[in-house]
Amino acid sequence: MYRTHTCGELKIENKGGSVQLAGWVQTVRKFGAITFIDLRDRYGITQLLFGEGLNAQLEANPLGREFVLQATGTVSERSNKNKNIPTGDIEIVVESFSILNKSAVPPFTIQDDTDGGDDLRMKYRYLDLRRNAVKKNLELRYAVNRSARNYLHEQGFYDIETPFLIKSTPEGARDFVVPSRMNPGEFYALPQSPQTFKQLLMVSGYDRYYQVVKCFRDEDLRADRQPEFTQIDCEMAFVQQEDILNMFEGLAKRIFKDVKGIDYTETVERTTWEEAMWNYGNDKPDIRFGMKIANLKFPLHVFPSKKEHLQTSPLGAGGGDGNATGFAVFDSAETVVAISVAGAGEYSRKQTDEITEWVKRPQIGMKGLAFIKCAADGTYKSSMDKFFDAEKLKAIADAAGAQTGDIVLILAGNEERTRKAISELRLEMAKRLGLRKNNEFKLLWVLDFPLFEYDEESNRWVARHHPFTSPKPQDIEVMINNDPTISNAAKYLEHPYAGIKANAYDIVLNGNEIGGGSIRIFQRELQEKMFAALGMSKEEALHKFGFLLGAFEYGAPPHGGIAFGFDRFCAILGGSESIRDFIAFPKNNSGRDVMLDAPSTIDEKQLEELQIKTAVK
Ligand code: ASP
């Protein structure tokens, strides 16, 4: 037996007890003839006191940081108590000790505020993982995992594993591929998700499936993505959208309760994709705060249902159609949008200049910013004084929902960029005003996404979610009765396919998409039509997805599902912006594991066995 107790459990009640501990040396402090050692393990830190009698042994066997130590002694009350740690009332008066293993001097301090930079910590990740801050994240991850499993088990879901070596059918992201030695010249792919397998399990009658599963996508790693990441992947048969939403907001709420002790009793809000874009410029809006967008001018083909709104815009009849305002910036813009920022009406010139610079950054890409300050005395100070009289400025401010003391920030330009920019500006202003609080959680369902997206490069439709997502029942006819070919790329939005809505839903937490799914296509003909709409020939569809089309011929039930981004969910619950902090062994931004130094070249012999020649030397 190495230890009778852990380093986190001894209290004043244990006083007088004879104990044995084992752990890592956190610190060594000498006070005259006495030596204090903080001994650390996963459970905590306990102070060890080495009296004068042990000095000879200590001198012969000097202890250093991260040495693995075993010590036997008696629990005694500390005179100088440490209220910050659970074991702070006691210390162990050591009678004997032995060094179980030595340690080289660690390349950084194993403390919350370590002196180690990112690269160094990743290279020595096994040391980084000893740090309390990292350990807390992994504990939270395990708690989320446990909570999800308990909930899904209670709801009758089976955890069923699906294979990692599968067929390459790239749609969306690029596949990671694995050469097959036994089938030279042929490759497996690692799954981007278990999508088709979980659908096949529905065909097989396992009507509630889940898996906490690795997914692999060979994407360029934009901010905070990992080439392998984990999903809580779920599927159900005999369900409609409503069933799925209820089941999985239940899962999210259960996780809040189990992991954070939060009773999320409110109903989870819902919005359509179109309303989300209209109100927030974003399909994953952060609704912890309002600051909705005022649409002063917008292209009708993007928001066909907003025709009436266009008539009432303060920019003039038709929402500033043509040269309605006389202000060239607005008149020439496709889109004019505004937000009203509460309590910022007294912003100085310097502050408005700074926000203007912010929107002009290449990432945001705006040419400038217009503003109206709604002063306490009822007057309006604006960067557009020359073009608009007070009445007009008031009308614009009113349309933006501004109150006295607010500032209205206005952007104008091309629809896509401007809407994205106002969405970013909204988040930025909320951040500056402290409205994006780590400990406040707000879920939102986003529904009715477009089924298709237009891909400029290949001049064709691509599935916005994935090709197995069903259209809304009322749109099935539109899909069947129209030719998907896009003849006029510039007018793709006017093609009937652009208006087809998907039976798909995303669950958003604090402005992050934490999950998404759909009600699936389950009839062969419609699935074939879908593949054709995506530009796949019959042969190609059969080659890639023949197994699924075949399965649909043998009594496929209606089904649907969802997958949660497990790493992201954990990161948000842990109040962090980075999923890497919640993964034991993450990769860096170039997809490298710097600890393993992977990927790496392989032996000539291995290549030969695989019958592969590389062009890279
Ligand atoms: N497999 C999908 C994804 O990875 C999720 C789903 O539709 O259930 O995004």
Side-chain angles (χ1 to χ4, degrees), residues 118-119 122 221 225-227 580 586-594 598:
D118 217 40
D119 287 347
M122 288 305 142
L221 299 179
R225 294 275 181 104
Q226 287 280 311
R580 279 172 47 169
K587 305 217 170 5
N588 73 8
N589 283 345
S590 340
R592 296 200 71 83
D593 183 320
V594 290

Side-chain angles (χ1 to χ4, degrees), residues 117 231 234 267 274 337 349 383 413 505:
Q231 286 187 343
C234 309
T267 342
E274 199 173 322
V337 277
R349 175 68 190 268
S383 59
Y505 31 79

Side-chain angles (χ1 to χ4, degrees), residues 242-493:
E242 197 57 34
D243 303 309
I244 301 260
L245 302 194
N246 288 330
M247 177 62 76
F248 293 103
E249 65 187 52
L251 171 61
K253 286 179 174 182
R254 172 67 172 268
I255 291 172
F256 282 124
K257 178 76 191 156
D258 289 351
V259 178
K260 304 291 288 184
I262 293 172
D263 277 310
Y264 197 114
T265 46
E266 314 119 73
T267 342
V268 175
E269 281 181 45
R270 299 177 182 190
T271 186
T272 62
W273 175 82
E274 199 173 322
E275 287 298 321
M277 294 307 286
W278 175 259
N279 288 321
Y280 304 102
N282 193 315
D283 62 6
K284 43 177 170 33
D286 188 342
I287 57 161
R288 280 174 295 178
F289 55 95
M291 222 193 280
K292 285 188 185 171
I293 296 173
N295 291 276
L296 304 173
K297 188 177 176 184
F298 56 91
L300 205 49
H301 59 267
V302 180
F303 295 103
S305 65
K306 301 293 183 186
K307 201 169 181 154
E308 263 171 38
H309 184 90
L310 211 47
Q311 303 306 321
T312 59
S313 168
L315 295 192
D321 246 354
N323 295 321
T325 72
F327 181 33
V329 175
F330 286 0
D331 291 340
S332 63
E334 190 181 16
T335 293
V336 182
V337 277
I339 50 170
S340 172
V341 184
E346 302 293 324
Y347 266 17
S348 64
R349 175 68 190 268
K350 189 164 163 264
Q351 283 169 300
T352 51
D353 281 354
E354 203 216 318
I355 304 171
T356 308
E357 283 316 307
W358 192 89
V359 300
K360 283 166 130 181
R361 296 178 329 156
Q363 303 96 300
I364 306 295
M366 290 280 93
K367 291 217 179 76
L369 171 85
F371 62 83
I372 304 171
K373 294 184 200 169
C374 311
D377 61 5
T379 60
Y380 296 91
K381 289 197 200 88
S382 171
S383 59
M384 307 172 297
D385 284 343
K386 272 193 243 129
F387 304 96
F388 298 120
D389 58 19
E391 199 183 323
K392 195 75 160 187
L393 293 175
K394 178 178 181 334
I396 296 174
D398 286 349
Q403 313 280 325
T404 305
D406 295 357
I407 189 169
V408 180
L409 304 176
I410 309 170
L411 296 176
N414 128 299
E415 162 65 22
E416 209 179 307
R417 189 177 317 136
T418 308
R419 196 161 290 278
K420 189 156 182 291
I422 196 83
S423 157
E424 298 283 340
L425 182 59
R426 175 179 173 270
L427 293 176
E428 174 66 20
M429 295 313 294
K431 194 164 108 194
R432 291 183 189 203
L433 297 179
L435 301 176
R436 306 192 73 189
K437 299 190 193 86
N438 274 350
N439 55 0
E440 192 188 338
F441 298 98
K442 203 107 202 241
L443 292 163
L444 173 74
W445 284 111
V446 181
L447 310 173
D448 301 354
F449 283 83
L451 185 63
F452 296 107
E453 228 165 33
Y454 170 64
D455 179 48
E456 257 174 64
E457 227 169 86
S458 53
N459 185 38
R460 67 171 180 96
W461 298 109
V462 292
R464 199 189 160 90
H465 187 46
H466 53 53
F468 315 105
T469 295
S470 65
K472 288 265 166 204
Q474 65 273 21
D475 287 335
I476 293 179
E477 291 290 303
V478 185
M479 197 170 139
I480 291 180
N481 296 335
N482 287 284
D483 180 352
T485 316
I486 306 164
S487 45
N488 185 347
K491 293 201 164 172
Y492 75 91
L493 272 169

